[in-house]
Amino acid sequence: MDTTGCGTALITPFRGDGSIDDRALYALVNWQIDSGIDFLVACGSTGEAATLEEEEWLTAIRIVLDAAAGRVPVWAGCTHNSTRTLVKLAEKLTRVRGLDGVLSANPYYNKPTQEGQYQHFLALAQAIDPLPVILYNVPGRTGVNLEPETVIRLTEDASNIAAIKEASGKLTQVAALVHALPQFGPSGFKIFSGDDNLALAAIGIGAKGLISVASNEAPREMGRMVRAALRNEWPLAREIERKYARLFEANFWESNPGPAKTILSMMGRCDATLRLPLVKPDRAVRQRLERLAGELGLLQEAPLPEGDMRMF
């Protein structure tokens, strides 16, 4: 898999009635690509995938693919705590034309052992081979950590396990993978930071990019930051990180993607609607987010009233 750089873990825009806003999603994808983002992830945790019905999930993925039109790689989130259900869902993605990979997080709630996670991800990989699988280690959301030793076993036993989004917050895990998998080379297994605030540190160790929340709001600058780091242009990368470090933190003042959607709504990109059990940030947080967005110049990114609706 050749994908590197900064990818956006896309939000899923909803209308005020809670339905998917297809026009806003289409426009968001165009803006992301026009801003230089390297790849897109549809229907991950930032995309509120856990609240999407199956047909909505497939529809959102198809909208992203249609809007992207092959200009950048597109990965689709597909996570479930039942391996049998995961495989059934993932098999549907093999029939979605143009998809470049499937991102799947640790099984949540069950708290499986390392052997259980190994068998879970191996079943996924075998079911959709040769479509690439991107492991997503996010213990803060799922309650379990995918240990480096288990990742190594998976890469040895399934050739289409192509990458990992490492969001454990542990740089030691990134380092362990880099040190253990040197044989995969530039076009082989990739490690992506799943944390905006650790992206530069992870790239410094050997990660090949970032899957970002903040690039929903600032795709151009996040892309520049990551690519600068990958080119060893560290002064520029650090300068951009220092500017946007407050945004990285602000996106988690309340549960993600609440703050990101709130800022995007201020930018005129989508409604701030979330699906229960998530709710919009409270008034005090919204005021803080508006102040920060203004200070960072994000509100200057707002489109004209009709928006960038290149759907037809």
Side-chain angles (χ1 to χ4, degrees), residues 289-301:
L289 290 169
E290 184 172 19
R291 186 180 310 115
L292 175 61
E295 291 171 355
L296 293 177
L298 296 177
L299 303 186
Q300 298 173 12
E301 292 280 354

Side-chain angles (χ1 to χ4, degrees), residues 4-152:
T4 59
C6 184
T8 300
L10 285 168
I11 61 127
T12 302
F14 298 127
R15 299 184 182 90
D17 64 4
S19 62
I20 292 177
D21 189 337
D22 51 350
R23 290 176 62 85
L25 180 55
Y26 202 99
L28 183 64
V29 170
N30 276 312
W31 176 56
Q32 290 279 320
I33 296 173
D34 289 347
S35 298
I37 210 68
D38 296 301
F39 61 101
L40 297 167
V41 180
C43 298
S45 50
T46 301
E48 297 175 79
T51 68
L52 297 177
E53 296 177 1
E54 184 177 314
E55 283 306 310
E56 292 179 315
W57 166 70
L58 287 169
T59 295
I61 291 166
R62 289 189 177 108
I63 291 170
V64 173
L65 282 164
D66 186 40
R71 290 176 290 170
V72 299
V74 174
W75 299 347
C78 185
T79 294
H80 207 282
N81 65 334
S82 163
T83 306
R84 181 179 298 182
T85 303
L86 173 68
V87 167
K88 288 180 179 179
L89 291 170
E91 285 175 341
K92 295 180 185 294
L93 293 178
T94 65
R95 299 189 287 274
V96 177
R97 184 177 300 177
L99 192 63
D100 296 281
V102 174
L103 178 81
S104 190
N106 324 70
Y108 51 88
Y109 187 77
N110 308 62
K111 300 190 74 173
T113 63
Q114 293 302 302
E115 180 64 23
Q117 291 192 76
Y118 165 80
Q119 293 191 25
H120 177 85
F121 286 121
L122 185 63
L124 168 64
Q126 290 173 341
I128 66 172
D129 187 40
L131 190 61
V133 172
I134 301 91
L135 307 171
Y136 179 14
N137 186 37
V138 58
R141 284 187 179 269
T142 64
V144 287
N145 183 46
L146 187 64
E147 300 289 345
E149 294 78 11
T150 307
V151 176
I152 293 164

Side-chain angles (χ1 to χ4, degrees), residues 1 122 125-126 129-133 153-163 184 187-189:
M1 184 179 70
L122 185 63
Q126 290 173 341
D129 187 40
L131 190 61
V133 172
R153 282 184 69 196
L154 287 164
T155 62
E156 292 171 343
D157 295 342
S159 61
N160 61 321
I161 291 181
F184 283 89
S187 62
F189 189 81

